[in-house]
Amino acid sequence: MHKFLNNFLKSVLAGIFISVALIVYINNKTVLDVIVFSVGVISILKLKLNLFTGMVGYEENYLKLIISLAGNFLGTYVSSLLLIGKITNFIDLETIIQNKVSQNLFSVFISSIVCGMLVYTAIYSYKKDKDIISVILCISAFVMFNADHCVANSFYFFVSRNFDNKTILYNLFCILGNYIGSKLCSFTQKI
């Protein structure tokens, strides 16, 4: 039970870090804020927290991945309630969300695969060489590409109170794409 609770709390905290990074991005949306978004992932790496997209390429325990994803979503949900007052740019937030939900599911899926590949590369660089620069570049690339990250998207949907059947389906495709993108990269490391 202690191990389960520890994994779950690490996952919730990872979701909160992603939420804080997104608030910085939403409020400003400059190149510097794209780079600052990487601080969320770097914090997660340094504190050894559980971010689904950072674990999925390495973790074979599917129960741990499900716990991580649930914890990440709870972290973004709690953040959407407690930190909504820190968002000052609701116009850009609404634009981001409308752009996301207006995509067809195939585009979401492909975008999510790209995100999974870039996140895997960032995590791999950190695990292999403690390479923070590669983390910053890979995470900045997925943000600038507007790739779909299932944990980040959950925050967008929760904070906008736009979590309906369409956004649930959207995020299911996103989860699958993040998973496949990361696993593709992971597979190449094994051959």
Side-chain angles (χ1 to χ4, degrees):
M1 183 63 173
H2 173 70
K3 190 173 183 179
F4 168 83
L5 186 58
N6 185 38
N7 285 332
F8 188 70
L9 290 176
K10 284 183 171 189
S11 301
V12 171
L13 192 53
I16 292 169
F17 269 106
I18 293 299
S19 300
V20 169
L22 284 168
I23 291 171
V24 171
Y25 174 69
I26 292 165
N27 285 343
N28 303 290
K29 290 185 74 174
T30 66
V31 173
L32 179 60
D33 298 307
V34 168
I35 293 169
V36 169
F37 184 84
S38 302
V39 172
V41 175
I42 292 168
S43 299
I44 289 165
L45 289 167
K46 291 286 189 181
L47 295 172
K48 298 180 181 172
L49 302 177
N50 296 341
L51 181 64
F52 172 79
T53 51
M55 295 171 56
V56 72
Y58 299 93
E59 185 60 56
E60 297 297 326
N61 181 336
Y62 289 100
L63 179 59
K64 188 172 183 180
L65 286 173
I66 291 168
I67 291 167
S68 173
L69 188 60
N72 292 164
F73 285 170
L74 180 60
T76 59
Y77 178 71
V78 168
S79 296
S80 76
L81 297 174
L82 299 177
L83 301 176
I84 193 166
K86 299 310 270 179
I87 297 175
T88 58
N89 193 346
F90 280 97
I91 294 170
D92 278 352
L93 173 63
E94 190 58 37
T95 301
I96 290 167
I97 293 163
Q98 288 308 313
N99 287 341
K100 288 188 174 297
V101 296
S102 67
Q103 295 181 81
N104 66 52
L105 291 177
F106 182 73
S107 294
V108 172
F109 182 64
I110 297 302
S111 171
S112 301
I113 290 173
V114 170
C115 179
M117 293 167 62
L118 288 167
V119 172
Y120 179 88
T121 305
I123 304 306
Y124 178 81
S125 299
Y126 183 79
K127 285 182 177 255
K128 187 170 188 267
D129 301 318
K130 300 291 187 227
D131 184 357
I132 298 292
I133 299 299
S134 291
V135 173
I136 292 169
L137 292 173
C138 289
I139 301 305
S140 296
F142 105 65
V143 173
M144 292 175 74
F145 181 75
N146 200 24
D148 286 287
H149 184 277
C150 61
V151 178
N153 286 348
S154 71
F155 176 77
Y156 286 135
F157 298 143
F158 285 135
V159 81
S160 69
R161 306 301 182 252
N162 188 7
F163 217 75
D164 56 17
N165 289 339
K166 184 176 182 179
T167 57
I168 290 170
L169 183 62
Y170 176 104
N171 225 23
L172 287 173
F173 271 76
C174 188
I175 292 165
L176 182 61
N178 290 166
Y179 175 85
I180 289 171
S182 191
K183 285 296 187 183
L184 282 172
C185 290
S186 175
F187 175 73
T188 64
Q189 298 304 304
K190 296 175 184 175
I191 55 174

